[in-house]
Amino acid sequence: MTIYHWILLAAIFFCIAACFMWFIKLMQRRVKDYAEAKGSDIDGVEYSCTKAMLPNHKESAYKHLPTYTAGIIFHIGLFTSFILLLLQLIIPEFLNSPPLGDKYRIAIKAMSLAREFSSGREWQDWLRLILGLCLCVSSCCGIAILAKRFMNKTLKDLSNLDDYISNMLVTLFQIASACAMLFPLWAPSKPMLFIVATILFLYIPFGKLRHFIYFFAARIHLGIFFGSRGVWSMKNKKK
Amino acid sequence: MSHELTDKQKKALAFFDSRLNSKLITHLISCVHCGLCGTSCAYYITEERPENLPAHKVDIVARIYRRYHTFAGKHFPQLTGAHDLDDELTTEMIDSLFGRCTMCGRCVAHCSIGVDIPFVVRTGRMMLQQMGLVPKSIQSTVDAAINTGNNMAIPKQDFIDTINWLNDDLQFELDDDTVTIPLDKHDVKMLYTVNPREPKFFPLSISAMAKIFYLAKESWTLSTDYYDITNYAYFVGDEEGAKLLTERLINETLKFGADTLVLGECGHGSRAMRWEGPNWLGKPYPVKAITVVELIAQYLREGRIKPDPAKLIKERVTIHDPCNLVRNGGVIDEQRYIISQCCTDFVEMEPHGIDNFCCGGGGGQLAMSEYNDRRLRIGKIKADQITATGAKIVVTPCHNCVDQLSGINLEYKLGVQIKSIAEIVADTL
Ligand code: SF4
Ligand code: SF4
């Protein structure tokens, strides 16, 4: 374990503790609804967390498909990066087979993939290459979303510093994660990933990135609201 | 540097603190500023201005939350856009929260996250109410309801005279001298409530409902003191006033020995009484509260009233779904069932049901003359929807919507008839 590992672990602990406090605050301040229900709140929550989130049910998705798709890829990239980071923390030798980027440039490697595959290259190399390239794509999505925030007047007006910082941090995290996948023998790749991850974890409790907890709380509140009023239910034909 | 708060601002912030429950905190924090809600809001669709964006309306209130309730907002306000509650912000709050939102809730289901935008807007309105900054026009409507018992300040005798005149008319129409529109009758099953616009401007909708009650052999009454179903105190964020108006109707129901309060054709009034009222009182109602739309659908299903096949409406009919009754109140299929029984050519608007567009008159907009231009401008969306159906009659179970639709009808020269549910049903009996 290097010093980077320890600092990162401390940051993760801080983030979890802060988020746990937010969660407790939410649980303590629950409200009772005295109105006689017309439908089922449980059914509503189920609907809210499943069907209601389908892209064909939300204008924010089907009327904005490019942004929506970029957002989804960006989030998948983030979760993938988190998982890879955890795996690298728990199993330091994770995916540590003979590296892909040590002798040749990636472009040349990509051209000779088929030949290498047939010659019995380690599966870890392939996995790392694929993950690394996917993370490059998700990072590009993050950059595109950031560019839109800078360029769209309405969005720019709505945004604050936190919106830009949050996007940049998450994008950097994915870029660092991609580098760690593609160039594992490049000495700075792991420290760089750990440093960016540390900053990210320390920042999460203070800005909009907290929405990873509040998103679920919002879906639950919404499900209770529309479910008890008989508006949302799993049985609903269209909506 | 934090600015010096006035006493009113301190009061508003103390009130805000007291409202910070799990739901409010969640909706104040969750917005990710993606901006994708704009295309779901009639204001933004009509005019792509940043202040028309639903997220902007949430952010005004969220900025206050961040300033006074988060570490980053307290110490580095620029980082999260946290803002003091000051005159500049309250001016923006009045314009955006009262003047740019009908609280229709259409943006909620379409939000990427699920932020309850009108819930936050109403919280902001409550803070303005604490500071005495509610627009005077709508405040006078609330004051009239609290001081006179109905929001149009109709004198009791005028109401009685109107009902008596309607009574004579109904006896003539039904050719039955025994039929009455009961006033202050005790030991009945139901107390019926109306929107004061009915006795004032659309009295025939009261006799239409009286005809339905008569044919369904219902035991019911109107109260001459408290018959007003509207609750504009709900829209201005006056919880005490809203509670008082709720209590009056519940007490009135009990006074006449009724076990059911029938909520007349008023979207926001029905929502306030059916869904919010028990929470203002802090307990479940001792009586049943049912919307008149559900009641009429029940009469039809039970065969207590039967449309005359010869009188069915042949002209093309469409429904306008009142946001408070449908999306926020769960009365979705009942009006469709009623229309299917009374009309032969029914066409849905697109979108409709819980996805409908607000007519533009919700959220108290009809009572705020200062925003008349905006109200009629966003009504263009509804006008286009109506035109696309080719309907000759627009039916809506809400007298506020009837008013706004009538305005749109004139403004955009639609040439349609606007009717309430009771009217369309009574025409076929
Ligand atoms: S509640 Fe209706 S009017 Fe208000 S922001 Fe949402 S869509 Fe627009
Ligand atoms: S869609 Fe929802 S999360 Fe996105 S900006 Fe609008 S309110 Fe905020």
Side-chain angles (χ1 to χ4, degrees):
Chain A
M1 294 272 270
T2 65
I3 180 79
Y4 299 114
H5 283 86
W6 288 112
I7 295 175
L8 175 58
L9 280 174
I12 292 176
F13 179 76
F14 169 77
C15 179
I16 292 175
C19 294
F20 187 68
M21 273 167 52
W22 282 105
F23 181 72
I24 295 289
K25 202 169 167 182
L26 281 187
M27 296 308 286
Q28 281 170 342
R29 302 197 189 190
R30 275 183 298 174
V31 267
K32 184 165 170 47
D33 187 357
Y34 292 100
E36 188 193 341
K38 185 175 180 183
S40 151
D41 47 6
I42 294 173
D43 206 18
V45 171
E46 195 184 340
Y47 183 84
S48 174
C49 296
T50 53
K51 269 190 183 176
M53 303 223 303
L54 293 175
N56 60 338
H57 281 61
K58 291 207 293 191
E59 286 181 356
S60 55
Y62 65 76
K63 283 193 175 174
H64 304 269
L65 265 184
T67 307
Y68 173 79
T69 311
I72 292 289
I73 295 173
F74 187 48
H75 279 80
I76 292 174
L78 175 61
F79 290 122
T80 310
S81 300
F82 273 136
I83 292 167
L84 291 174
L85 181 76
L86 277 182
L87 286 172
Q88 288 173 86
L89 264 179
I90 301 165
I91 320 163
E93 66 279 10
F94 171 67
L95 294 184
N96 264 1
S97 65
L100 194 69
D102 54 346
K103 292 182 193 135
Y104 309 102
R105 297 223 325 256
I106 289 298
I108 298 166
K109 276 285 171 193
M111 283 189 283
S112 56
L113 286 182
R115 186 171 51 79
E116 288 178 355
F117 184 71
S118 57
S119 67
R121 173 162 283 281
E122 297 285 340
W123 67 269
Q124 287 98 327
D125 292 345
W126 292 99
L127 185 57
R128 215 166 33 218
L129 177 68
I130 292 165
L131 285 170
L133 291 177
C134 288
L135 287 171
C136 287
V137 173
S138 65
S139 304
C140 288
C141 290
I143 293 167
I145 293 169
L146 186 64
K148 185 181 174 193
R149 195 175 285 287
F150 272 113
M151 281 155 29
N152 180 295
K153 187 183 170 331
T154 304
L155 213 49
K156 200 170 176 184
D157 187 84
L158 181 68
S159 305
N160 52 50
L161 205 52
D162 175 38
D163 293 312
Y164 297 101
I165 293 176
S166 300
N167 181 307
M168 285 179 200
L169 270 179
V170 175
T171 307
L172 272 179
F173 177 51
Q174 296 186 42
I175 292 173
S177 191
C179 285
M181 287 297 109
L182 295 174
F183 314 109
L185 284 200
W186 181 45
S189 72
K190 262 205 175 160
M192 190 176 79
L193 171 65
F194 283 18
I195 289 169
V196 174
T198 302
I199 298 171
L200 179 64
F201 279 113
L202 289 177
Y203 189 75
I204 284 174
F206 299 106
K208 74 183 261 189
L209 295 177
R210 279 175 303 187
H211 77 261
F212 85 92
I213 290 185
Y214 287 95
F215 169 75
F216 296 103
R219 297 309 309 178
I220 291 169
H221 281 299
L222 218 57
I224 293 172
F225 178 87
F226 285 128
S228 62
R229 294 184 181 201
V231 177
W232 273 3
S233 117
M234 290 308 283
K235 290 183 283 294
N236 278 4
K237 285 175 259 40
K238 177 175 178 251
K239 287 143 192 148
Chain B
M1 195 174 65
S2 182
H3 98 120
E4 192 71 33
L5 291 165
T6 65
D7 286 347
K8 284 184 173 173
Q9 287 163 350
K10 282 183 191 157
K11 189 179 165 207
L13 285 176
F15 174 82
F16 186 49
D17 290 0
S18 72
R19 306 289 303 186
L20 284 173
N21 57 36
S22 166
K23 182 174 171 180
L24 183 56
I25 295 173
T26 297
H27 293 303
L28 284 170
I29 290 183
S30 316
C31 175
V32 291
H33 293 176
C34 66
L36 303 181
C37 43
T39 44
S40 303
C41 173
Y43 282 93
Y44 191 81
I45 294 171
T46 312
E47 218 184 337
E48 282 190 23
R49 298 163 61 123
E51 55 271 42
N52 281 343
L53 193 73
H56 177 82
K57 300 161 202 175
V58 170
D59 204 50
I60 294 178
V61 186
R63 275 187 260 164
I64 302 170
Y65 174 76
R66 294 197 287 265
R67 181 71 179 107
Y68 299 100
H69 293 276
T70 65
F71 177 84
K74 280 179 191 164
H75 302 285
F76 313 102
Q78 283 85 357
L79 175 69
T80 57
H83 204 291
D84 285 331
L85 180 62
D86 55 16
D87 292 345
E88 182 200 348
L89 192 68
T90 46
T91 307
E92 203 184 337
M93 283 170 83
I94 296 169
D95 182 70
S96 284
L97 307 184
F98 277 108
R100 297 184 189 276
C101 182
T102 62
M103 293 165 69
C104 69
R106 187 169 192 279
C107 48
V108 180
H110 291 298
C111 162
S112 323
I113 298 284
V115 179
D116 193 338
I117 291 131
F119 176 68
V120 176
V121 166
R122 206 169 82 81
T123 305
R125 287 188 178 193
M126 285 179 190
M127 294 176 74
L128 290 168
Q129 196 268 342
Q130 293 289 318
M131 292 184 278
L133 293 174
V134 171
K136 286 195 175 57
S137 46
I138 191 168
Q139 186 59 53
S140 66
T141 309
V142 177
D143 293 343
I146 289 174
N147 299 329
T148 71
N150 71 83
N151 76 28
M152 297 204 127
I154 302 169
K156 183 171 175 171
Q157 193 52 49
D158 285 7
F159 178 70
I160 294 171
D161 291 347
T162 303
I163 298 299
N164 287 338
W165 159 66
L166 291 171
N167 203 34
D168 294 345
D169 235 30
L170 194 62
Q171 287 181 350
F172 179 74
E173 184 192 339
L174 296 172
D175 196 17
D176 181 351
D177 287 349
T178 63
V179 55
T180 55
I181 301 180
L183 287 174
D184 295 338
K185 190 176 170 193
H186 283 258
D187 300 321
V188 290
K189 183 165 170 46
M190 294 178 178
L191 174 70
Y192 180 56
T193 53
V194 299
N195 185 318
R197 284 173 200 277
E198 295 179 71
K200 188 100 174 170
F201 303 120
F202 308 102
L204 294 182
S205 68
I206 300 179
S207 48
M209 195 57 216
K211 183 178 173 185
I212 294 170
F213 276 136
Y214 167 76
L215 294 173
K217 299 189 174 48
E218 192 56 85
S219 154
W220 69 290
T221 189
L222 275 168
S223 161
T224 54
D225 288 322
Y226 300 122
Y227 52 81
D228 181 359
I229 176 65
T230 70
N231 195 325
Y232 279 89
Y234 166 67
F235 281 146
V236 303
D238 174 3
E239 297 272 279
E240 282 307 308
K243 180 180 172 189
L244 175 73
L245 299 177
T246 304
E247 259 167 359
R248 280 178 180 169
L249 290 186
I250 295 297
N251 291 342
E252 208 65 356
T253 313
L254 294 171
K255 186 174 100 184
F256 294 115
D259 65 8
T260 304
L261 174 65
V262 182
L263 312 171
E265 292 188 65
C266 173
H268 88 270
S270 296
R271 175 186 181 171
M273 278 308 292
R274 173 69 178 82
W275 296 106
E276 320 293 342
N279 297 315
W280 291 322
L281 302 186
K283 57 184 181 199
Y285 288 153
V287 296
K288 186 175 167 60
I290 182 173
T291 66
V292 71
V293 183
E294 292 166 298
L295 186 68
I296 295 175
Q298 188 183 317
Y299 288 159
L300 283 166
R301 285 202 177 96
E302 291 169 354
R304 288 173 68 177
I305 52 172
K306 287 193 188 87
D308 178 346
K311 291 184 179 174
L312 294 184
I313 313 286
K314 309 255 173 357
E315 289 162 292
R316 178 168 289 185
V317 173
T318 190
I319 292 178
H320 163 67
D321 290 294
C323 309
N324 283 303
L325 194 72
V326 181
R327 181 162 41 239
N328 294 294
V331 180
I332 304 162
D333 297 328
E334 287 85 345
Q335 56 273 39
R336 293 180 162 75
Y337 173 70
I338 295 169
I339 295 302
S340 72
Q341 298 296 300
C342 302
C343 307
T344 56
D345 185 8
F346 168 60
V347 185
E348 288 280 18
M349 286 187 201
E350 285 307 331
H352 60 268
I354 60 174
D355 210 20
N356 76 318
F357 274 103
C358 178
C359 60
Q365 296 302 329
L366 272 168
M368 292 187 277
S369 47
E370 51 272 63
Y371 304 123
N372 274 352
D373 284 354
R374 293 181 194 172
R375 173 170 62 77
L376 285 171
R377 218 179 303 142
I378 64 167
K380 173 82 166 53
I381 295 176
K382 187 56 61 182
D384 291 344
Q385 278 188 288
I386 294 171
T387 307
T389 62
K392 291 281 166 263
I393 301 173
V394 182
V395 182
T396 187
C398 170
H399 281 278
N400 276 3
C401 294
V402 167
D403 237 25
Q404 166 74 351
L405 292 173
S406 304
I408 293 173
N409 199 10
L410 276 180
E411 177 80 11
Y412 298 102
K413 302 182 177 48
L414 302 179
V416 293
Q417 286 182 65
I418 319 289
K419 292 202 169 207
S420 70
I421 287 275
E423 285 171 332
I424 210 100
V425 174
D427 283 351
T428 65
L429 298 177

